[in-house]
C-alpha cells in the first residue's frame, strides 16, 4: 500500500506554521514567534520544568532549545531558577509577562483550530486526533 501520511503531516506542519506566524503578525503579537509559542504553551501547562523535560515535550534538541530559551529570557518571557531538589539543574519558569500572553496565544490557537477543522464534524475531529495520537505514540516508542 502506498501511503502519504508522513508527507502530509510534514506539509501540514510547514503550512500551519506559516499561517500561525501570519496570524501573529495580523494580530500585532510580536512578543513571541510560533516556535516560542510552542514552548510557552508547554510552560502554561507545566511551569517549573527542566530543560530536558521541556525539550522532550516540544520535540527539540537540547542545544536548539537552549538558544531559544536564551532569547526568551532576554525578552523577559522565562527565567531559569535552581531546582531546589538538585541545585546542579535549572528549571524553566514563566515570567508574569509570559503569563499575561496566554490569552493572546489562545486566541491565535482558536483561529488555527477553525482553519484546521473547517468542514469537520465533531466526531471526525475526535477520530482524527485519536489517530494522530496513535502515530505520535508509535514514533515515541522508536525515539
Amino acid at each position: 500500500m502506498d501511503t502519504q501520511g508522513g508527507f502530509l503531516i510534514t506539509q501540514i506542519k510547514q503550512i500551519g506554521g506559516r499561517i500561525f506566524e501570519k496570524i501573529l503578525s495580523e494580530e500585532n503579537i510580536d512578543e513571541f514567534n510560533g516556535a516560542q509559542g510552542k514552548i510557552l504553551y508547554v510552560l502554561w501547562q507545566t511551569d517549573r520544568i527542566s530543560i530536558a523535560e521541556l525539550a522532550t515535550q516540544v520535540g527539540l534538541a537540547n542545544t536548539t532549545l537552549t538558544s531559544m530559551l536564551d532569547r526568551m529570557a532576554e525578552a523577559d518571557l522565562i527565567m531559569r531558577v535552581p531546582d531546589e531538589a538538585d541545585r546542579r539543574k535549572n528549571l524553566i519558569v514563566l515570567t508574569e509577562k509570559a503569563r499575561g500572553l496566554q490569552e493572546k496565544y489562545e486566541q491565535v490557537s482558536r483561529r488555527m483550530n477553525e482553519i484546521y477543522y473547517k468542514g469537520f464534524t465533531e466526531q471526525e475531529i475526535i477520530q482524527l486526533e485519536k489517530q494522530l495520537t496513535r502515530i505520535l505514540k508509535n514514533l515515541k516508542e522508536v525515539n
Side-chain angles (χ1 to χ4, degrees):
M1 180 168 88
D2 190 26
T3 62
Q4 295 185 15
F7 176 72
L8 293 171
I9 289 169
T10 299
Q11 279 199 308
I12 290 167
K13 181 178 182 278
Q14 290 173 342
I15 295 169
R18 287 195 297 266
I19 293 170
F20 190 87
E21 294 288 347
K22 180 181 174 192
I23 293 171
L24 288 175
S25 177
E26 288 172 356
E27 297 294 328
N28 295 315
I29 300 170
D30 58 4
E31 294 92 349
F32 59 88
N33 60 35
Q36 291 170 338
K38 292 177 200 171
I39 294 168
L40 289 171
Y41 176 79
V42 170
L43 292 170
W44 286 318
Q45 311 308 308
T46 313
D47 200 6
R48 300 188 68 83
I49 190 172
S50 71
I51 292 175
E53 180 61 26
L54 183 58
T56 299
Q57 290 197 34
V58 296
L60 294 172
N62 280 12
T63 52
T64 303
L65 180 60
T66 299
S67 63
M68 290 179 72
L69 291 174
D70 289 342
R71 288 190 295 281
M72 292 175 75
E74 289 171 16
D76 192 34
L77 295 173
I78 60 107
M79 296 181 300
R80 291 178 173 93
V81 298
D83 183 345
E84 293 174 9
D86 183 351
R87 293 247 179 233
R88 296 170 296 169
K89 293 182 182 178
N90 281 325
L91 299 177
I92 305 304
V93 179
L94 290 170
T95 63
E96 286 305 313
K97 177 181 177 181
R99 288 182 215 287
L101 296 171
Q102 187 171 0
E103 179 55 34
K104 285 183 176 183
Y105 180 89
E106 289 173 357
Q107 288 173 353
V108 175
S109 185
R110 282 190 293 273
R111 282 190 57 193
M112 288 300 297
N113 280 338
E114 290 169 5
I115 294 166
Y116 280 134
Y117 296 121
K118 179 181 175 184
F120 281 66
T121 66
E122 186 175 334
Q123 189 58 39
E124 288 173 326
I125 293 169
I126 291 167
Q127 184 178 16
L128 174 63
E129 291 192 354
K130 282 183 182 177
Q131 292 167 337
L132 290 171
T133 300
R134 283 177 55 194
I135 291 171
L136 182 59
K137 180 180 177 276
N138 291 343
L139 293 171
K140 285 182 175 181
E141 286 174 0
V142 176
N143 191 13

